[in-house]
Each structure stands twice: as C-alpha cells, then as structure tokens.
Amino acid sequence: MHDHGLIETPEALQGFLDTIAGTDWIALDTEFMREKTYYPRLCLIQLATLDQIACVDPFQLDLKLLEPLLFDAGVTKVFHSASQDMEVLYRELGRVPAPIFDTQIAASMLGYGDQVGYANLVKAILDRDLDKSQTRTDWSRRPLSEQQIRYAADDVRFLTNVFMRLLRDLESQDRMHWLRPEMEALSNPGLYEPNPDGAWQRVSGVKRLKPRERGVLKTVGAWRERAAMESDRPRRWILADDVLIDIARRTPQDINALHELRGFPDGMKPPRQQELLEAIQAGLDLPREEWPQLPEKAKLNEAEEVLADIGMALLRECARRNQITASAIAQRKDVIELMKGDGTTGRLGSGWRHEIAGKTIARWFAGDGGLTCSTEGLQIGT
C-alpha cells in the first residue's frame, strides 16, 4: 500500500485524488475534538483504498476539495460506526456523504455482535492487534508526530480489508438487502441537526421529575442547548445537568434565587441570567397539555409477560439459526410492540428483521401452529 502520509497542500491532495480516480469505494475515518466545544472540531481525515492511503489536514486545506469524492453517488464511503463521522462532515460541509457502508452494522448482521468495536473487529477478521497508545491524544495540536499519523492511518489501513471481507460475506449469504435500508437511514441529514426542543430528554435525572417540572425542564433545557450552540461551548459549561434538575424543581424567580442554587456558575453574565429566568417562566406558563411526557414502559399482565418471554425465546432461536446475535435484530421492547400491534409495526414488522424473526414471532402470537424461522426451517407446533 502506498502511504501518502500527511497531506497539507492542495497539490498533494489533488495528487492523491488522481491516484484513486475511478475507485468505486473509499474507506474513511475522522479525528475530532469536542471536549471544549459544542460542535465537534474536525482535526484529521483519513482515506484509503486497497493500495493508497492518506491523512488530510483540514487545518491547512479547504475541504471543498474533497466534495467531488465524498458526494459522488458512484463511490461508496466506508466507515466504522459512521454516525459521529457523518455528524462532523455534515457540520463542515453542510451535506452528508452518500452512499455509505458501516462496517459495525454490517458486522452485526454476520454474527460479530451488536455494536462491535473497531479494534475487536480487526482482531476477529484479520487477527491483528491495533495500537491503542494514541486513544486520548489531542488531535488539534500541531505538528502531529509520525506516531500519531501512523496511528490515525491504521484506522483506515485495516478498514479496507475488513470491508472487503464483510462485503464478500454479506453477498455470499444474500444479506446485502438487509444493510441497504440501514445505510439509507444513516444518510438522513436530519439525524445530525441539533434539536433544542428535545434536549430535555437527555438530561440526567429527568425521570425523577413531576409532569409540570418537566415542562420547566423542557424550556430551560432548550435555552441551555441554544446558549451552548451560540457560544460553541459544551452544555455542561453553560449549566450542569444537576443544576437544570434543581431549577425545574425550585423554579427560581429572580437572580438572587438563581445564585442560591448549588453549583450555579458565578460567571454567568446578567443578560444570560435574565434569559434563563425568562425560560423558567415560559416553562411555568406551559399549559398542561404541553407538559412533555416520558415514554411509557409497556405494562404487561402476567399472561403477556409469558408471551413476551416466549417471543424473546423465538427471537434468540431465529438469531442462532442465522448465526447472529439476538440484540442485533431487536430488543424486548420490539417484541412487545409486535405482540401488541398487528404484526406489521415496529422494527420487527418490516424489512430484514421481519424476514428472519418478526414473521415467525408474529405468527406465533397470532396462534399459528406451523412456523418457520427464515429459510432455516424452525418448526413449532403441529
């Protein structure tokens, strides 16, 4: 494999792109930092084919030079655990690369486990141990050392062979149609847009609040999210989660009351304090019907619990016969949703999950005694 090293000039980048012209796929990874910012700060992009590899420095180059490659519909972009890389690239370029291939999701469909890590997958497929010495490195610092560059390059160096193996196995087992809808979903730009109005759901401790308190948390959580976005600072630097929960419970009405809260930041400027008080009042003014509701956990009677247990047993058996883990197909809540619906709802109600497990479970719930598990032939009943 020809290693182009760290690319820092437009001429070097164009030279690399010329060498890979005509490829129908490219392995990608990114290094980024977000410990001190709201938005991830892109620090490095790694690119590889089977015989070419390079690390691109976004601090030195205009990333628009990569747009013809990243947005070429004829070139599949290969990632491992793509969502964070997609978020970073969407933030930088305003669009998401497509089409994509996520080796983590593909691996789950071939029996490597649900959400398998990259190092573990490389070990399982290639029997290679990856260097982990740079896991906590600061990728924003320059210059990058040779060791850092080699470490970053390895993330795509081995990804190329992992991809080829997974692609071969998916095709030989006729499972590529399982992967396509998952990849199309990951290419939805809406996944990577901030949602201030939904920020309350991610606050630690929300489940302990009363309904009206959640209304206050909704407006205050949205205010914190927008303040973090505006200042490009982590949410916790604006207000910690435990302070948000305290505000939702105590609903302070003036600046003195704010400063009586344990952990309230002394450095918050008066205009922002006033904004916070207005957000608290907006939460108090929410009508009852707009108080946010927590997702209700399905309440089952004794007979339904037994049925759900049997549904889970069928899920595990279908997973075993297809040589994948049950958790890669569905969770217990998905089985319950199928049980309470008409057999066509939820994750198990359509697509490849329905094909290999949902159909079997739904037919059992419907009282059908003659069942099959995919094409493997699971027989239950008479």
Side-chain angles (χ1 to χ4, degrees), residues 219 270 286 337 359 369:
T219 57
L286 282 179
E337 184 177 5
K359 178 168 57 178

Side-chain angles (χ1 to χ4, degrees), residues 35-37 233-240 265:
E35 285 80 359
K36 298 179 181 180
T37 59
R233 292 291 182 265
R235 299 176 188 92
R236 67 184 184 279
W237 287 18
I238 307 298
L239 277 181

Side-chain angles (χ1 to χ4, degrees), residues 1 3 29 31 46 48 53 55 118 122 126 128-132 147-160:
M1 177 179 284
D3 193 335
D29 188 38
E31 305 296 346
Q46 303 97 284
I53 189 168
C55 295
Y118 178 63
V122 169
L126 305 178
R128 295 290 299 262
D129 293 306
L130 293 185
D131 174 18
K132 299 180 181 180
Q147 185 179 11
Q148 287 175 308
I149 296 169
R150 283 196 304 272
Y151 175 91
D154 281 351
D155 280 344
V156 286
R157 189 188 314 277
F158 302 115
L159 184 58
T160 58

Side-chain angles (χ1 to χ4, degrees), residues 347-358:
R347 298 176 80 208
L348 285 168
S350 62
W352 69 273
R353 292 180 172 86
H354 179 74
E355 175 187 328
I356 68 169

Side-chain angles (χ1 to χ4, degrees), residues 261-279:
L261 298 170
R262 182 177 181 181
F264 189 82
D266 293 332
M268 184 180 290
K269 296 180 179 180
R272 184 152 282 175
Q273 294 179 46
Q274 187 58 43
E275 292 174 4
L276 173 54
L277 289 171
E278 291 171 4

Side-chain angles (χ1 to χ4, degrees), residues 137-290:
T137 198
D138 182 350
W139 293 103
S140 67
R141 298 188 67 178
R142 293 295 186 273
L144 294 172
S145 69
E146 288 298 322
Q147 185 179 11
Q148 287 175 308
I149 296 169
R150 283 196 304 272
Y151 175 91
D154 281 351
D155 280 344
V156 286
R157 189 188 314 277
F158 302 115
L159 184 58
T160 58
N161 287 307
V162 167
F163 163 66
M164 297 298 290
R165 171 69 176 273
L166 294 176
L167 181 64
R168 184 195 70 190
D169 291 349
L170 285 170
E171 290 176 340
S172 67
Q173 297 181 42
D174 193 25
R175 295 184 179 184
M176 276 300 296
H177 65 288
W178 295 8
L179 188 68
R180 291 190 188 100
E182 308 277 340
M183 298 302 96
E184 290 170 2
L186 276 175
S187 296
N188 174 14
L191 290 178
Y192 312 107
E193 282 284 359
N195 177 23
D197 291 334
W200 66 272
Q201 299 174 76
R202 300 189 298 273
V203 177
S204 176
V206 62
K207 294 181 180 179
R208 302 194 300 269
L209 295 180
K210 297 175 182 178
R212 192 183 188 197
E213 294 169 346
R214 289 199 297 270
V216 176
L217 181 67
K218 178 181 179 180
T219 57
V220 174
W223 167 83
R224 181 182 70 166
E225 197 77 7
R226 292 188 177 97
M229 293 165 62
E230 179 185 331
S231 61
D232 195 19
R233 292 291 182 265
R235 299 176 188 92
R236 67 184 184 279
W237 287 18
I238 307 298
L239 277 181
D241 278 9
D242 58 344
V243 179
L244 284 188
I245 295 296
D246 207 12
I247 287 173
R249 285 176 169 157
R250 296 173 59 178
T251 61
Q253 298 295 291
D254 55 46
I255 288 177
N256 287 335
L258 285 177
H259 285 274
E260 289 174 0
L261 298 170
R262 182 177 181 181
F264 189 82
D266 293 332
M268 184 180 290
K269 296 180 179 180
R272 184 152 282 175
Q273 294 179 46
Q274 187 58 43
E275 292 174 4
L276 173 54
L277 289 171
E278 291 171 4
I280 294 169
Q281 188 60 51
L284 290 171
D285 291 341
L286 282 179
R288 180 184 295 269
E289 60 269 21
E290 292 184 24

